[in-house]
Amino acid sequence: MTPDVSTWDGTSFCGAPGKVVAAAPYWWVCDQPLTCIDAASERLEPVEDLENAFRRWLASRIAWEMRGRPRPTSQEEWQRALGVTTMSIDARIAIQALVAEEDGNVAQGLPPGFRAPDDAFERTPP
């Protein structure tokens, strides 16, 4: 779904990568643990790099969870703030890119996680 700051909320769909199932019968249900929605009225955009799209969405969800709180400065502080004991490489890259957003260009109308350049989501985290 197209990332837009006006739809950035607790539902987690803003900017979420997904797969379009066209012409699904009315009785079709998605496989668990996936979340399926009727996106007929949503603005969608094609995704060329699924890995980066996922990392951007993850960064956005982390920013949502951290909104209004001070930004941690170390991986251990991020883990504590997020209430997790370990972090995937994707999460570490997403956090690194979020920090880069604070220092880089901010595109108007884009929510956190979608502001940093693509290469910020391709770097190996420390």
Side-chain angles (χ1 to χ4, degrees):
M1 296 173 68
T2 303
D4 188 308
V5 75
S6 68
T7 61
W8 190 61
D9 59 22
T11 63
S12 79
F13 293 117
C14 175
K19 179 177 178 2
V20 174
V21 177
Y26 73 91
W27 39 260
W28 182 81
V29 294
C30 64
D31 296 330
Q32 293 297 322
L34 302 176
T35 299
C36 295
I37 63 167
D38 181 353
S41 64
E42 299 295 336
R43 287 188 356 230
L44 304 176
E45 62 184 34
V47 171
E48 293 183 25
D49 185 336
L50 186 58
E51 190 172 79
N52 274 5
F54 170 73
R55 288 174 177 164
R56 284 184 177 282
W57 173 79
L58 183 58
S60 185
R61 299 320 306 157
I62 290 169
W64 176 264
E65 182 66 28
M66 293 298 298
R67 70 195 184 289
R69 294 194 277 172
R71 188 93 31 159
T73 57
S74 70
Q75 180 179 336
E76 293 77 21
E77 288 179 17
W78 278 100
Q79 286 179 205
R80 263 194 310 279
L82 294 168
V84 297
T85 56
T86 61
M87 258 195 238
S88 68
I89 290 195
D90 289 316
R92 292 194 327 238
I93 291 171
I95 288 169
Q96 177 179 281
L98 270 177
V99 171
E101 281 187 347
E102 294 298 316
D103 299 330
N105 297 331
V106 176
Q108 293 298 320
L110 292 176
F114 298 94
R115 298 172 181 166
D118 284 344
D119 67 346
F121 292 90
E122 297 168 355
R123 297 185 198 129
T124 303

